[in-house]
PDB file of all heavy atoms in Angstrom:
ATOM      1  N   PHE A   1      16.955  -0.210 -14.951  1.00  0.00           N
ATOM      2  CA  PHE A   1      17.291  -0.895 -16.198  1.00  0.00           C
ATOM      3  C   PHE A   1      16.245  -0.578 -17.269  1.00  0.00           C
ATOM      4  O   PHE A   1      15.039  -0.537 -16.986  1.00  0.00           O
ATOM      5  CB  PHE A   1      17.350  -2.404 -15.988  1.00  0.00           C
ATOM      6  CG  PHE A   1      18.493  -2.851 -15.118  1.00  0.00           C
ATOM      7  CD1 PHE A   1      18.327  -2.969 -13.744  1.00  0.00           C
ATOM      8  CD2 PHE A   1      19.735  -3.126 -15.662  1.00  0.00           C
ATOM      9  CE1 PHE A   1      19.384  -3.368 -12.934  1.00  0.00           C
ATOM     10  CE2 PHE A   1      20.787  -3.525 -14.864  1.00  0.00           C
ATOM     11  CZ  PHE A   1      20.610  -3.645 -13.489  1.00  0.00           C
ATOM     12  N   ILE A   2      16.740  -0.384 -18.479  1.00  0.00           N
ATOM     13  CA  ILE A   2      15.854  -0.148 -19.618  1.00  0.00           C
ATOM     14  C   ILE A   2      16.257  -1.086 -20.749  1.00  0.00           C
ATOM     15  O   ILE A   2      17.413  -1.083 -21.189  1.00  0.00           O
ATOM     16  CB  ILE A   2      15.928   1.313 -20.102  1.00  0.00           C
ATOM     17  CG1 ILE A   2      15.518   2.277 -18.984  1.00  0.00           C
ATOM     18  CG2 ILE A   2      15.025   1.515 -21.322  1.00  0.00           C
ATOM     19  CD1 ILE A   2      15.660   3.745 -19.352  1.00  0.00           C
ATOM     20  N   GLY A   3      15.310  -1.880 -21.217  1.00  0.00           N
ATOM     21  CA  GLY A   3      15.545  -2.766 -22.346  1.00  0.00           C
ATOM     22  C   GLY A   3      15.003  -2.142 -23.617  1.00  0.00           C
ATOM     23  O   GLY A   3      13.876  -1.624 -23.626  1.00  0.00           O
ATOM     24  N   ILE A   4      15.798  -2.195 -24.667  1.00  0.00           N
ATOM     25  CA  ILE A   4      15.414  -1.587 -25.949  1.00  0.00           C
ATOM     26  C   ILE A   4      15.362  -2.677 -27.016  1.00  0.00           C
ATOM     27  O   ILE A   4      16.308  -3.464 -27.156  1.00  0.00           O
ATOM     28  CB  ILE A   4      16.420  -0.501 -26.353  1.00  0.00           C
ATOM     29  CG1 ILE A   4      16.430   0.622 -25.304  1.00  0.00           C
ATOM     30  CG2 ILE A   4      16.093   0.068 -27.740  1.00  0.00           C
ATOM     31  CD1 ILE A   4      17.546   1.622 -25.492  1.00  0.00           C
ATOM     32  N   GLU A   5      14.270  -2.730 -27.742  1.00  0.00           N
ATOM     33  CA  GLU A   5      14.097  -3.732 -28.786  1.00  0.00           C
ATOM     34  C   GLU A   5      13.295  -3.132 -29.933  1.00  0.00           C
ATOM     35  O   GLU A   5      12.331  -2.392 -29.710  1.00  0.00           O
ATOM     36  CB  GLU A   5      13.390  -4.965 -28.224  1.00  0.00           C
ATOM     37  CG  GLU A   5      13.089  -6.055 -29.232  1.00  0.00           C
ATOM     38  CD  GLU A   5      14.332  -6.569 -29.953  1.00  0.00           C
ATOM     39  OE1 GLU A   5      15.322  -6.909 -29.278  1.00  0.00           O
ATOM     40  OE2 GLU A   5      14.297  -6.601 -31.204  1.00  0.00           O
ATOM     41  N   LYS A   6      13.686  -3.466 -31.145  1.00  0.00           N
ATOM     42  CA  LYS A   6      13.073  -2.885 -32.337  1.00  0.00           C
ATOM     43  C   LYS A   6      11.776  -3.572 -32.745  1.00  0.00           C
ATOM     44  O   LYS A   6      10.849  -2.929 -33.256  1.00  0.00           O
ATOM     45  CB  LYS A   6      14.080  -2.951 -33.489  1.00  0.00           C
ATOM     46  CG  LYS A   6      13.589  -2.404 -34.805  1.00  0.00           C
ATOM     47  CD  LYS A   6      14.690  -2.501 -35.863  1.00  0.00           C
ATOM     48  CE  LYS A   6      14.234  -1.972 -37.206  1.00  0.00           C
ATOM     49  NZ  LYS A   6      15.312  -2.066 -38.229  1.00  0.00           N
ATOM     50  N   TYR A   7      11.677  -4.876 -32.501  1.00  0.00           N
ATOM     51  CA  TYR A   7      10.593  -5.644 -33.100  1.00  0.00           C
ATOM     52  C   TYR A   7       9.426  -5.868 -32.137  1.00  0.00           C
ATOM     53  O   TYR A   7       9.608  -6.338 -31.002  1.00  0.00           O
ATOM     54  CB  TYR A   7      11.125  -6.989 -33.598  1.00  0.00           C
ATOM     55  CG  TYR A   7      12.193  -6.837 -34.653  1.00  0.00           C
ATOM     56  CD1 TYR A   7      13.541  -7.014 -34.339  1.00  0.00           C
ATOM     57  CD2 TYR A   7      11.860  -6.489 -35.956  1.00  0.00           C
ATOM     58  CE1 TYR A   7      14.529  -6.860 -35.308  1.00  0.00           C
ATOM     59  CE2 TYR A   7      12.837  -6.333 -36.923  1.00  0.00           C
ATOM     60  CZ  TYR A   7      14.165  -6.519 -36.598  1.00  0.00           C
ATOM     61  OH  TYR A   7      15.136  -6.353 -37.545  1.00  0.00           O
ATOM     62  N   ASP A   8       8.220  -5.547 -32.603  1.00  0.00           N
ATOM     63  CA  ASP A   8       7.007  -5.691 -31.797  1.00  0.00           C
ATOM     64  C   ASP A   8       6.847  -7.099 -31.245  1.00  0.00           C
ATOM     65  O   ASP A   8       6.515  -7.288 -30.069  1.00  0.00           O
ATOM     66  CB  ASP A   8       5.766  -5.365 -32.638  1.00  0.00           C
ATOM     67  CG  ASP A   8       5.654  -3.892 -32.984  1.00  0.00           C
ATOM     68  OD1 ASP A   8       6.540  -3.124 -32.569  1.00  0.00           O
ATOM     69  OD2 ASP A   8       4.683  -3.517 -33.659  1.00  0.00           O
ATOM     70  N   SER A   9       7.022  -8.088 -32.112  1.00  0.00           N
ATOM     71  CA  SER A   9       6.777  -9.470 -31.707  1.00  0.00           C
ATOM     72  C   SER A   9       7.724  -9.902 -30.596  1.00  0.00           C
ATOM     73  O   SER A   9       7.331 -10.654 -29.694  1.00  0.00           O
ATOM     74  CB  SER A   9       6.913 -10.411 -32.908  1.00  0.00           C
ATOM     75  OG  SER A   9       5.918 -10.135 -33.873  1.00  0.00           O
ATOM     76  N   VAL A  10       8.966  -9.443 -30.657  1.00  0.00           N
ATOM     77  CA  VAL A  10       9.938  -9.804 -29.625  1.00  0.00           C
ATOM     78  C   VAL A  10       9.581  -9.124 -28.309  1.00  0.00           C
ATOM     79  O   VAL A  10       9.644  -9.732 -27.231  1.00  0.00           O
ATOM     80  CB  VAL A  10      11.365  -9.419 -30.072  1.00  0.00           C
ATOM     81  CG1 VAL A  10      12.373  -9.812 -28.998  1.00  0.00           C
ATOM     82  CG2 VAL A  10      11.712 -10.099 -31.388  1.00  0.00           C
ATOM     83  N   VAL A  11       9.201  -7.853 -28.373  1.00  0.00           N
ATOM     84  CA  VAL A  11       8.789  -7.128 -27.171  1.00  0.00           C
ATOM     85  C   VAL A  11       7.575  -7.807 -26.538  1.00  0.00           C
ATOM     86  O   VAL A  11       7.500  -7.955 -25.312  1.00  0.00           O
ATOM     87  CB  VAL A  11       8.459  -5.661 -27.495  1.00  0.00           C
ATOM     88  CG1 VAL A  11       7.887  -4.954 -26.277  1.00  0.00           C
ATOM     89  CG2 VAL A  11       9.709  -4.928 -27.975  1.00  0.00           C
ATOM     90  N   ALA A  12       6.644  -8.250 -27.364  1.00  0.00           N
ATOM     91  CA  ALA A  12       5.426  -8.898 -26.864  1.00  0.00           C
ATOM     92  C   ALA A  12       5.737 -10.214 -26.163  1.00  0.00           C
ATOM     93  O   ALA A  12       4.976 -10.650 -25.285  1.00  0.00           O
ATOM     94  CB  ALA A  12       4.446  -9.127 -28.009  1.00  0.00           C
ATOM     95  N   LYS A  13       6.833 -10.859 -26.523  1.00  0.00           N
ATOM     96  CA  LYS A  13       7.231 -12.090 -25.839  1.00  0.00           C
ATOM     97  C   LYS A  13       7.889 -11.788 -24.497  1.00  0.00           C
ATOM     98  O   LYS A  13       7.828 -12.593 -23.572  1.00  0.00           O
ATOM     99  CB  LYS A  13       8.198 -12.886 -26.720  1.00  0.00           C
ATOM    100  CG  LYS A  13       7.554 -13.495 -27.947  1.00  0.00           C
ATOM    101  CD  LYS A  13       8.576 -14.272 -28.766  1.00  0.00           C
ATOM    102  CE  LYS A  13       7.923 -14.889 -29.997  1.00  0.00           C
ATOM    103  NZ  LYS A  13       8.913 -15.633 -30.827  1.00  0.00           N
ATOM    104  N   CYS A  14       8.527 -10.621 -24.404  1.00  0.00           N
ATOM    105  CA  CYS A  14       9.222 -10.241 -23.178  1.00  0.00           C
ATOM    106  C   CYS A  14       8.267  -9.771 -22.087  1.00  0.00           C
ATOM    107  O   CYS A  14       8.378 -10.179 -20.919  1.00  0.00           O
ATOM    108  CB  CYS A  14      10.240  -9.141 -23.476  1.00  0.00           C
ATOM    109  SG  CYS A  14      10.932  -8.330 -22.003  1.00  0.00           S
ATOM    110  N   LEU A  15       7.322  -8.925 -22.443  1.00  0.00           N
ATOM    111  CA  LEU A  15       6.506  -8.215 -21.452  1.00  0.00           C
ATOM    112  C   LEU A  15       5.767  -9.136 -20.467  1.00  0.00           C
ATOM    113  O   LEU A  15       5.777  -8.868 -19.256  1.00  0.00           O
ATOM    114  CB  LEU A  15       5.519  -7.289 -22.163  1.00  0.00           C
ATOM    115  CG  LEU A  15       6.162  -6.112 -22.921  1.00  0.00           C
ATOM    116  CD1 LEU A  15       5.101  -5.371 -23.739  1.00  0.00           C
ATOM    117  CD2 LEU A  15       6.847  -5.156 -21.949  1.00  0.00           C
ATOM    118  N   PRO A  16       5.126 -10.212 -20.915  1.00  0.00           N
ATOM    119  CA  PRO A  16       4.398 -11.063 -19.958  1.00  0.00           C
ATOM    120  C   PRO A  16       5.307 -11.784 -18.974  1.00  0.00           C
ATOM    121  O   PRO A  16       4.828 -12.308 -17.951  1.00  0.00           O
ATOM    122  CB  PRO A  16       3.676 -12.073 -20.869  1.00  0.00           C
ATOM    123  CG  PRO A  16       3.622 -11.432 -22.214  1.00  0.00           C
ATOM    124  CD  PRO A  16       4.903 -10.651 -22.303  1.00  0.00           C
ATOM    125  N   ARG A  17       6.596 -11.829 -19.232  1.00  0.00           N
ATOM    126  CA  ARG A  17       7.528 -12.544 -18.366  1.00  0.00           C
ATOM    127  C   ARG A  17       8.109 -11.669 -17.258  1.00  0.00           C
ATOM    128  O   ARG A  17       8.862 -12.153 -16.418  1.00  0.00           O
ATOM    129  CB  ARG A  17       8.673 -13.112 -19.211  1.00  0.00           C
ATOM    130  CG  ARG A  17       8.183 -13.977 -20.370  1.00  0.00           C
ATOM    131  CD  ARG A  17       9.333 -14.524 -21.182  1.00  0.00           C
ATOM    132  NE  ARG A  17       8.852 -15.210 -22.386  1.00  0.00           N
ATOM    133  CZ  ARG A  17       9.592 -15.997 -23.155  1.00  0.00           C
ATOM    134  NH1 ARG A  17      10.854 -16.207 -22.845  1.00  0.00           N
ATOM    135  NH2 ARG A  17       9.080 -16.572 -24.226  1.00  0.00           N
ATOM    136  N   ILE A  18       7.756 -10.394 -17.252  1.00  0.00           N
ATOM    137  CA  ILE A  18       8.293  -9.475 -16.252  1.00  0.00           C
ATOM    138  C   ILE A  18       7.485  -9.579 -14.961  1.00  0.00           C
ATOM    139  O   ILE A  18       6.255  -9.521 -14.980  1.00  0.00           O
ATOM    140  CB  ILE A  18       8.249  -8.018 -16.769  1.00  0.00           C
ATOM    141  CG1 ILE A  18       9.088  -7.884 -18.046  1.00  0.00           C
ATOM    142  CG2 ILE A  18       8.779  -7.064 -15.707  1.00  0.00           C
ATOM    143  CD1 ILE A  18       9.006  -6.506 -18.678  1.00  0.00           C
ATOM    144  N   ASP A  19       8.177  -9.732 -13.847  1.00  0.00           N
ATOM    145  CA  ASP A  19       7.504  -9.770 -12.550  1.00  0.00           C
ATOM    146  C   ASP A  19       6.792  -8.450 -12.297  1.00  0.00           C
ATOM    147  O   ASP A  19       7.373  -7.370 -12.470  1.00  0.00           O
ATOM    148  CB  ASP A  19       8.513 -10.031 -11.435  1.00  0.00           C
ATOM    149  CG  ASP A  19       9.104 -11.432 -11.501  1.00  0.00           C
ATOM    150  OD1 ASP A  19       8.527 -12.281 -12.200  1.00  0.00           O
ATOM    151  OD2 ASP A  19      10.150 -11.666 -10.859  1.00  0.00           O
ATOM    152  N   SER A  20       5.566  -8.519 -11.853  1.00  0.00           N
ATOM    153  CA  SER A  20       4.742  -7.314 -11.711  1.00  0.00           C
ATOM    154  C   SER A  20       5.262  -6.344 -10.657  1.00  0.00           C
ATOM    155  O   SER A  20       4.919  -5.160 -10.682  1.00  0.00           O
ATOM    156  CB  SER A  20       3.300  -7.712 -11.367  1.00  0.00           C
ATOM    157  OG  SER A  20       3.265  -8.439 -10.151  1.00  0.00           O
ATOM    158  N   ASP A  21       6.100  -6.824  -9.729  1.00  0.00           N
ATOM    159  CA  ASP A  21       6.560  -5.963  -8.651  1.00  0.00           C
ATOM    160  C   ASP A  21       7.865  -5.234  -8.966  1.00  0.00           C
ATOM    161  O   ASP A  21       8.387  -4.497  -8.120  1.00  0.00           O
ATOM    162  CB  ASP A  21       6.727  -6.758  -7.356  1.00  0.00           C
ATOM    163  CG  ASP A  21       7.740  -7.890  -7.499  1.00  0.00           C
ATOM    164  OD1 ASP A  21       8.089  -8.234  -8.650  1.00  0.00           O
ATOM    165  OD2 ASP A  21       8.179  -8.423  -6.462  1.00  0.00           O
ATOM    166  N   LEU A  22       8.397  -5.411 -10.158  1.00  0.00           N
ATOM    167  CA  LEU A  22       9.641  -4.727 -10.521  1.00  0.00           C
ATOM    168  C   LEU A  22       9.348  -3.260 -10.843  1.00  0.00           C
ATOM    169  O   LEU A  22       8.608  -2.954 -11.772  1.00  0.00           O
ATOM    170  CB  LEU A  22      10.297  -5.393 -11.737  1.00  0.00           C
ATOM    171  CG  LEU A  22      10.990  -6.735 -11.500  1.00  0.00           C
ATOM    172  CD1 LEU A  22      11.560  -7.274 -12.809  1.00  0.00           C
ATOM    173  CD2 LEU A  22      12.097  -6.611 -10.466  1.00  0.00           C
ATOM    174  N   ASP A  23       9.935  -2.358 -10.076  1.00  0.00           N
ATOM    175  CA  ASP A  23       9.720  -0.933 -10.337  1.00  0.00           C
ATOM    176  C   ASP A  23      10.976  -0.243 -10.865  1.00  0.00           C
ATOM    177  O   ASP A  23      11.010   0.975 -10.993  1.00  0.00           O
ATOM    178  CB  ASP A  23       9.218  -0.218  -9.077  1.00  0.00           C
ATOM    179  CG  ASP A  23      10.179  -0.363  -7.895  1.00  0.00           C
ATOM    180  OD1 ASP A  23      11.280  -0.917  -8.076  1.00  0.00           O
ATOM    181  OD2 ASP A  23       9.819   0.086  -6.787  1.00  0.00           O
ATOM    182  N   ASN A  24      11.992  -1.032 -11.178  1.00  0.00           N
ATOM    183  CA  ASN A  24      13.246  -0.474 -11.708  1.00  0.00           C
ATOM    184  C   ASN A  24      13.526  -0.958 -13.127  1.00  0.00           C
ATOM    185  O   ASN A  24      14.666  -1.011 -13.569  1.00  0.00           O
ATOM    186  CB  ASN A  24      14.419  -0.833 -10.800  1.00  0.00           C
ATOM    187  CG  ASN A  24      14.668  -2.339 -10.719  1.00  0.00           C
ATOM    188  OD1 ASN A  24      13.727  -3.139 -10.792  1.00  0.00           O
ATOM    189  ND2 ASN A  24      15.926  -2.727 -10.551  1.00  0.00           N
ATOM    190  N   LEU A  25      12.467  -1.311 -13.857  1.00  0.00           N
ATOM    191  CA  LEU A  25      12.614  -1.819 -15.217  1.00  0.00           C
ATOM    192  C   LEU A  25      11.609  -1.152 -16.142  1.00  0.00           C
ATOM    193  O   LEU A  25      10.425  -1.021 -15.814  1.00  0.00           O
ATOM    194  CB  LEU A  25      12.406  -3.335 -15.249  1.00  0.00           C
ATOM    195  CG  LEU A  25      12.432  -4.008 -16.628  1.00  0.00           C
ATOM    196  CD1 LEU A  25      13.783  -3.810 -17.297  1.00  0.00           C
ATOM    197  CD2 LEU A  25      12.119  -5.502 -16.495  1.00  0.00           C
ATOM    198  N   ALA A  26      12.101  -0.725 -17.304  1.00  0.00           N
ATOM    199  CA  ALA A  26      11.247  -0.166 -18.352  1.00  0.00           C
ATOM    200  C   ALA A  26      11.662  -0.777 -19.687  1.00  0.00           C
ATOM    201  O   ALA A  26      12.818  -1.161 -19.874  1.00  0.00           O
ATOM    202  CB  ALA A  26      11.374   1.357 -18.408  1.00  0.00           C
ATOM    203  N   ILE A  27      10.712  -0.877 -20.594  1.00  0.00           N
ATOM    204  CA  ILE A  27      10.961  -1.430 -21.920  1.00  0.00           C
ATOM    205  C   ILE A  27      10.597  -0.384 -22.967  1.00  0.00           C
ATOM    206  O   ILE A  27       9.544   0.262 -22.877  1.00  0.00           O
ATOM    207  CB  ILE A  27      10.127  -2.707 -22.159  1.00  0.00           C
ATOM    208  CG1 ILE A  27      10.389  -3.741 -21.055  1.00  0.00           C
ATOM    209  CG2 ILE A  27      10.428  -3.288 -23.536  1.00  0.00           C
ATOM    210  CD1 ILE A  27      11.825  -4.217 -20.963  1.00  0.00           C
ATOM    211  N   ILE A  28      11.481  -0.238 -23.961  1.00  0.00           N
ATOM    212  CA  ILE A  28      11.238   0.707 -25.051  1.00  0.00           C
ATOM    213  C   ILE A  28      11.267  -0.050 -26.375  1.00  0.00           C
ATOM    214  O   ILE A  28      12.200  -0.807 -26.646  1.00  0.00           O
ATOM    215  CB  ILE A  28      12.290   1.827 -25.068  1.00  0.00           C
ATOM    216  CG1 ILE A  28      12.241   2.634 -23.771  1.00  0.00           C
ATOM    217  CG2 ILE A  28      12.081   2.744 -26.268  1.00  0.00           C
ATOM    218  CD1 ILE A  28      13.328   3.684 -23.673  1.00  0.00           C
ATOM    219  N   ARG A  29      10.269   0.194 -27.189  1.00  0.00           N
ATOM    220  CA  ARG A  29      10.210  -0.394 -28.525  1.00  0.00           C
ATOM    221  C   ARG A  29      10.623   0.684 -29.520  1.00  0.00           C
ATOM    222  O   ARG A  29       9.881   1.634 -29.778  1.00  0.00           O
ATOM    223  CB  ARG A  29       8.789  -0.885 -28.799  1.00  0.00           C
ATOM    224  CG  ARG A  29       8.557  -1.425 -30.203  1.00  0.00           C
ATOM    225  CD  ARG A  29       7.104  -1.752 -30.410  1.00  0.00           C
ATOM    226  NE  ARG A  29       6.228  -0.655 -29.975  1.00  0.00           N
ATOM    227  CZ  ARG A  29       4.920  -0.619 -30.204  1.00  0.00           C
ATOM    228  NH1 ARG A  29       4.312  -1.583 -30.838  1.00  0.00           N
ATOM    229  NH2 ARG A  29       4.204   0.414 -29.784  1.00  0.00           N
ATOM    230  N   MET A  30      11.824   0.561 -30.092  1.00  0.00           N
ATOM    231  CA  MET A  30      12.290   1.578 -31.036  1.00  0.00           C
ATOM    232  C   MET A  30      13.521   1.081 -31.780  1.00  0.00           C
ATOM    233  O   MET A  30      14.178   0.116 -31.384  1.00  0.00           O
ATOM    234  CB  MET A  30      12.633   2.881 -30.311  1.00  0.00           C
ATOM    235  CG  MET A  30      13.896   2.833 -29.480  1.00  0.00           C
ATOM    236  SD  MET A  30      14.352   4.474 -28.858  1.00  0.00           S
ATOM    237  CE  MET A  30      15.952   4.108 -28.124  1.00  0.00           C
ATOM    238  N   ASP A  31      13.838   1.766 -32.856  1.00  0.00           N
ATOM    239  CA  ASP A  31      15.073   1.553 -33.593  1.00  0.00           C
ATOM    240  C   ASP A  31      16.197   2.245 -32.835  1.00  0.00           C
ATOM    241  O   ASP A  31      16.061   3.398 -32.427  1.00  0.00           O
ATOM    242  CB  ASP A  31      14.949   2.145 -35.000  1.00  0.00           C
ATOM    243  CG  ASP A  31      16.096   1.756 -35.913  1.00  0.00           C
ATOM    244  OD1 ASP A  31      17.264   1.800 -35.458  1.00  0.00           O
ATOM    245  OD2 ASP A  31      15.848   1.436 -37.084  1.00  0.00           O
ATOM    246  N   ALA A  32      17.305   1.551 -32.628  1.00  0.00           N
ATOM    247  CA  ALA A  32      18.416   2.107 -31.843  1.00  0.00           C
ATOM    248  C   ALA A  32      19.000   3.374 -32.461  1.00  0.00           C
ATOM    249  O   ALA A  32      19.655   4.156 -31.757  1.00  0.00           O
ATOM    250  CB  ALA A  32      19.514   1.054 -31.681  1.00  0.00           C
TER     251      ALA A  32
END
């Protein structure tokens, strides 16, 4: 799974909530 989000502040709220053992998830900060 890859989550895409444009806004820094929103991405910063998401990242600390991700379980550290998930190896099938990536986050991208960009304009779609």
Side-chain angles (χ1 to χ4, degrees):
F1 292 91
I2 300 176
I4 298 170
E5 177 57 50
K6 179 179 180 180
Y7 299 103
D8 290 0
S9 296
V10 181
V11 174
K13 290 180 180 179
C14 168
L15 293 173
R17 306 180 187 193
I18 300 175
D19 292 344
S20 60
D21 60 345
L22 286 179
D23 58 6
N24 63 327
L25 176 61
I27 305 299
I28 298 175
R29 175 186 48 171
M30 72 172 187
D31 190 316

